[in-house]
Amino acid sequence: MKNIISFCFFLLIAVTLTAQEKPISAAQFNIINLDYKGLESVKNLVNSKKYEEAGKELLKYYRTRTNVKLGEFKMGDSERFRGKSLSIDDQEKADNALLHNFKPHKGYGFFNYGEDINWQNWPVKDNEVRWQLHRLGWFTPMGLAYRASGDEKYAKEWVHQYRDWVKKNPKGLSADNDKYVWRPLEVSERINMLRGVFNLMGTSKAFTPSFLLEFLQSYGEQTDYLIKNYADKGNHRLFEAQRALAAGCFFPELKNAESWRKSGAQVLVVEIKKQVLDDGMQFELSPNYHNTMINIFLEGLKSAKDAGLESEFPTSYKETVEKMAMATVNFSFPDYNFPMFGDAWPVGKPTMLKQYKTWANAFPDNSTLQYFATDGVEGKVPGYLSKGLNSAGFYTFRNGWDMKSTVMVLKASPPGEFHAQPDNGTFELWVKGRDFTPDAGVFVYSGDEEVNKMREEFRQTKFHSTLTLDDQNMVITKAKQNKWVTDKMMDILTYTNPSYADLNHQRSILFIDQKYFLIIDNAIGKATGKLDVRFHLKEDAEPVYDVTKNLVYTTYADGNNLLIQSLNKDKVKLIKEQSKVSYFYRKEQKRPAVAFEKQKNDGQTQSFIHILYPFNDKKAPQISVKENPGNNYASGTINLTLTIDGKVKNVVSNLVN
């Protein structure tokens, strides 16, 4: 019975495909530059009105052309895939696609879109699910499955689905459909993906001359639309431009290819000056998107180079991309990860090693990139430790570059874009391989009211390690640097952020003896209310809270632990809290946090003083502080004597001058 059903299924597909094969017309060749080198026989056949034969000759050309180097997959590279197993994820996507079970977004499972595919189905009211449905991301796994197995069912179903998608999603179908199908980012994602699938599926029997011309027509319409509708700014505009450029390089035979190339290149050249700050940071201030934009800029350059158009990019373009790569070095931890600021998420060392190899190949004379690309085997580490990306407001305190190091990365930034959060002052502290204070991360992007509420929960200022007034979100993120100096004995950062109406938050961080930190927070202004300084710990910290001594410390069995203690002489209340963290889309974990709280009843500046002390034991050190004559937290004059397990340390500094 199974065999009969299977036979009937494939017979139905075969009949459907045959029915879809329409006669080729002269008009279908209008998008092609028939004077392009290699298309001489196609042109002769078109001029002789032998359109079916011309279509066959055009398909033969694409199956055998060698002039286009762009892309991961090559049309004739069958031996690379044949008989090899796909990843579990790709095989699952390919097989489910045969049943019209699609997985638009990795944060969710598979959804069935019906035997007669309903491209307007919105199973979860998360905008990303509907947007990403129209990226058609399962097409690549279907192509890989076809190449690996040689089974025509994947190619036949792909041809059917793409034709169905084109038919049911024309521009102008409805305002709602245009919003999701024809958003320029989705258009760019499609034309980017389709280049690879074109080569993967191009050898299939299902890839007929008739379908080839339909494909080229659809591809051309989408790319023409894209270059006229780029996003106004941000990473979307860069994605879109790079993919328009690549489209023109991949299909140089099409009449509009040159306009696609020039459009994409011009946007990239202009936008790199607008979007990259002078310290090398992309202006959306999100580490993940920053790294992706490095790749976008480099891919644009590579596409142009492969097409012989590298001269369209000035020398400064490549220099800026190199500066961007070095910015990543500076805000990263020794395990190759980085803070989850601005909707960032962990990516893992293998992924970052691959990134660094790409960057090192682009900049072979950069010994630092060579070091990180080879995991320290070649090249060398930077000749400095702590580093400030002053324009971006990313400040890194560092005592080394290896896995035994202590590294804190703090964010005190100008206003960001969509991915920015009301979080100035937040930080992550990484010690000997452990990130003790991960930032909140991103749980979800956007959708209906319920989904947006989930996003706002993780964006809250109180979900970050900084100061709040009455538990409200800070109104402005526009930090001004007051002082940034680095020295072997003590690094100092002081910045001021106008966090609330009538309340500025001034935070100073002192990295003392390249070992531990003093954090001094001043709440300045006439605003009154409840002040809290919060610290959010890793989900497995199992902290001990001591409300009598106003301290909390972690209890990791390996002895690599952290003490956070209030050193205030005035009354501060320790409050045990439960927080959340999201390392992956739509996945959250509960985690411990602590708030140090006091009231602000008048216009006097209120100060908080905390010590963050990494220690190698299960027992926290005993720490006390003496305020010496002249010490004044509000004015930034520091004269303290710290006693740590009986050892005395004098801390004298001016935090603002």
Side-chain angles (χ1 to χ4, degrees):
M1 181 60 70
K2 287 183 178 179
N3 289 337
I4 293 173
I5 293 173
S6 179
F7 173 76
C8 291
F9 174 74
F10 293 122
L11 181 61
L12 177 63
I13 291 177
V15 172
T16 302
L17 286 171
T18 301
Q20 289 178 321
E21 297 302 313
K22 298 177 181 179
I24 298 174
S25 66
Q28 288 179 281
F29 293 93
N30 288 343
I31 63 169
I32 301 168
N33 175 13
L34 294 175
D35 291 321
Y36 189 82
K37 184 178 180 181
L39 298 182
E40 292 82 4
S41 59
V42 177
K43 181 179 180 180
N44 290 335
L45 289 167
V46 170
N47 289 338
S48 300
K49 299 183 179 180
K50 297 178 179 179
Y51 304 127
E52 297 293 334
E53 292 182 39
K56 292 178 183 178
E57 193 66 23
L58 183 63
L59 180 56
K60 178 182 176 181
Y61 163 82
Y62 275 113
R63 285 175 171 171
T64 57
R65 69 175 184 172
T66 59
N67 59 312
V68 174
K69 302 176 183 179
L70 187 67
E72 180 182 358
F73 310 120
K74 307 301 179 186
M75 183 78 80
D77 191 12
S78 58
E79 293 301 322
R80 176 183 168 195
F81 302 97
R82 185 176 296 146
K84 295 182 180 179
S85 298
L86 274 66
S87 70
I88 294 174
D89 183 57
D90 280 341
Q91 190 67 59
E92 186 180 30
K93 288 179 180 177
D95 290 338
N96 268 280
L98 298 176
L99 305 173
H100 301 174
N101 295 326
F102 307 144
K103 188 178 183 180
H105 193 285
K106 63 183 179 182
Y108 302 89
F110 289 89
F111 302 107
N112 184 265
Y113 286 81
E115 183 177 351
D116 182 14
I117 301 173
N118 179 6
W119 297 103
Q120 282 71 49
N121 184 24
W122 195 5
V124 179
K125 297 304 184 285
D126 180 340
N127 287 340
E128 291 297 323
V129 171
R130 188 144 175 215
W131 271 319
Q132 295 195 31
L133 170 71
H134 295 284
R135 296 179 184 181
L136 309 174
W138 58 93
F139 279 8
T140 299
M142 291 177 78
L144 292 170
Y146 164 67
R147 276 299 185 93
S149 66
D151 196 328
E152 288 286 334
K153 67 182 180 183
Y154 296 107
K156 290 177 180 178
E157 177 61 23
W158 171 69
V159 169
H160 166 69
Q161 286 186 22
Y162 189 56
R163 276 176 162 157
D164 190 69
W165 180 89
V166 171
K167 178 182 177 181
K168 293 177 180 176
N169 293 282
K171 179 74 176 68
L173 180 67
S174 70
D176 178 71
N177 206 53
D178 285 358
K179 174 182 177 181
Y180 293 100
V181 178
W182 290 90
R183 186 173 74 153
L185 181 64
E186 271 54 60
V187 178
S188 78
E189 291 279 356
R190 285 196 298 273
I191 66 171
N192 189 57
M193 170 274 300
L194 285 169
R195 289 188 291 106
V197 180
F198 179 87
N199 276 349
L200 287 170
M201 296 294 199
T203 58
S204 168
K205 295 177 182 178
F207 202 112
T208 63
S210 176
F211 176 73
L212 168 63
L213 286 158
E214 292 173 40
F215 180 97
L216 294 176
Q217 183 68 37
S218 170
Y219 195 93
E221 288 175 355
Q222 293 181 70
T223 312
D224 285 340
Y225 173 83
L226 178 63
I227 65 171
K228 297 174 183 176
N229 294 277
Y230 292 129
D232 292 336
K233 59 182 178 180
N235 68 76
H236 286 204
R237 188 171 175 85
L238 300 183
F239 277 120
E240 294 154 12
Q242 182 270 320
R243 287 155 183 178
L245 168 60
C249 294
F250 188 80
F251 287 113
E253 307 87 2
L254 302 187
K255 287 180 178 178
N256 291 346
E258 184 177 2
S259 66
W260 301 343
R261 291 193 301 265
K262 287 185 175 180
S263 172
Q266 287 171 358
V267 170
L268 290 175
V269 170
V270 169
E271 288 298 314
I272 198 169
K273 297 177 181 178
K274 291 182 178 180
Q275 294 198 30
V276 182
L277 304 176
D278 58 13
D279 54 21
M281 193 73 192
Q282 199 258 352
F283 73 164
E284 290 176 292
L285 308 178
S286 172
N288 285 98
Y289 284 96
H290 169 85
N291 290 340
T292 302
M293 293 309 102
I294 297 174
N295 297 329
I296 287 295
F297 284 128
L298 284 179
E299 286 172 12
L301 187 62
K302 185 178 184 303
S303 297
K305 184 177 181 181
D306 289 345
L309 304 169
E310 190 176 12
S311 61
E312 295 186 20
F313 292 81
T315 303
S316 60
Y317 179 95
K318 193 171 183 179
E319 292 172 347
T320 300
V321 181
E322 183 175 11
K323 188 182 290 187
M324 293 178 73
M326 289 303 297
T328 300
V329 168
N330 289 315
F331 64 62
S332 295
F333 301 121
D335 65 355
Y336 283 67
N337 235 314
F338 39 74
M340 296 192 296
F341 301 155
D343 287 355
W345 57 89
V347 295
K349 187 172 181 177
T351 298
M352 287 308 301
L353 275 171
K354 186 177 180 180
Q355 296 280 282
Y356 276 112
K357 287 176 182 177
T358 299
W359 302 343
N361 288 336
F363 307 105
D365 295 331
N366 189 311
S367 61
T368 296
L369 295 180
Q370 296 295 328
Y371 176 88
F372 286 98
T374 61
D375 202 6
V377 175
E378 300 175 13
K380 59 183 180 180
V381 297
Y384 55 84
L385 294 170
S386 298
K387 180 72 172 181
L389 301 177
N390 296 336
S391 296
F394 279 33
Y395 298 92
T396 302
F397 302 86
R398 185 189 302 274
N399 69 2
W401 294 92
D402 61 24
M403 291 295 290
K404 296 179 181 179
S405 303
T406 295
V407 183
M408 174 191 281
V409 185
L410 180 142
K411 179 177 178 286
S413 302
E417 300 296 329
F418 172 80
H419 297 287
Q421 301 184 4
D423 59 358
N424 266 351
T426 196
F427 64 86
E428 292 193 14
L429 174 57
W430 189 99
V431 183
K432 297 178 180 177
R434 176 169 291 132
D435 189 344
F436 282 94
T437 60
D439 211 46
V442 55
F443 181 70
V444 71
Y445 274 2
S446 66
D448 64 5
E449 184 178 351
E450 181 181 354
V451 169
N452 289 337
K453 184 178 179 181
M454 295 175 185
R455 174 172 176 78
E456 289 307 312
E457 181 180 20
F458 280 83
R459 294 184 75 253
Q460 294 177 96
T461 303
K462 68 178 184 179
F463 264 41
H464 300 85
S465 295
T466 189
L467 179 141
T468 60
L469 174 65
D470 292 330
D471 293 336
Q472 298 300 303
N473 287 345
M474 64 174 65
V475 179
I476 299 174
T477 53
K478 193 176 182 180
K480 177 183 178 182
Q481 182 193 112
N482 304 119
K483 186 171 186 175
W484 169 245
V485 295
T486 60
D487 184 83
K488 187 174 182 180
M489 300 304 295
M490 186 162 61
D491 297 335
I492 300 174
L493 167 67
T494 299
Y495 74 88
T496 303
N497 189 74
S499 299
Y500 301 95
D502 300 321
L503 188 78
N504 289 346
H505 173 209
Q506 185 181 80
R507 170 164 276 191
S508 297
I509 298 90
L510 288 72
F511 186 29
I512 301 172
D513 293 338
Q514 297 188 339
K515 185 176 182 181
Y516 60 94
F517 300 85
L518 276 184
I519 298 182
I520 300 170
D521 292 292
N522 289 323
I524 306 167
K526 63 182 181 180
T528 60
K530 181 174 73 75
L531 299 173
D532 289 274
V533 173
R534 288 182 170 84
F535 300 95
H536 298 264
L537 298 170
K538 202 169 184 289
E539 63 277 3
D540 58 355
E542 297 185 4
V544 170
Y545 296 85
D546 189 330
V547 296
T548 61
K549 296 182 179 179
N550 272 351
L551 60 84
V552 58
Y553 60 91
T554 64
T555 59
Y556 290 101
D558 61 7
N560 181 19
N561 283 299
L562 176 68
L563 165 70
I564 302 175
Q565 180 177 342
S566 170
L567 300 179
N568 278 64
K569 296 299 184 181
D570 57 343
K571 186 176 181 180
V572 174
K573 182 180 180 181
L574 182 151
I575 300 174
K576 178 181 178 180
E577 293 189 338
Q578 186 175 82
S579 181
K580 294 181 181 180
V581 64
S582 178
Y583 298 109
F584 306 99
Y585 199 90
R586 287 302 293 260
K587 296 183 186 298
E588 66 177 46
Q589 297 185 57
K590 295 179 180 178
R591 60 161 171 174
V594 60
F596 294 94
E597 183 177 297
K598 69 160 75 173
Q599 288 294 129
K600 188 173 185 296
N601 298 317
D602 53 33
Q604 295 295 312
T605 296
Q606 289 292 328
S607 301
F608 293 84
I609 307 92
H610 296 96
I611 187 167
L612 277 62
Y613 197 94
F615 62 97
N616 297 313
D617 203 345
K618 296 181 181 180
K619 181 181 179 182
Q622 299 293 313
I623 299 177
S624 62
V625 64
K626 176 186 176 184
E627 297 182 13
N628 299 319
N631 184 74
N632 188 315
Y633 297 119
S635 69
T637 302
I638 303 302
N639 191 343
L640 302 172
T641 299
L642 294 173
T643 302
I644 304 172
D645 280 345
K647 295 183 178 179
V648 175
K649 173 70 177 183
N650 292 319
V651 181
V652 180
S653 182
N654 191 309
L655 301 181
V656 293
N657 296 316

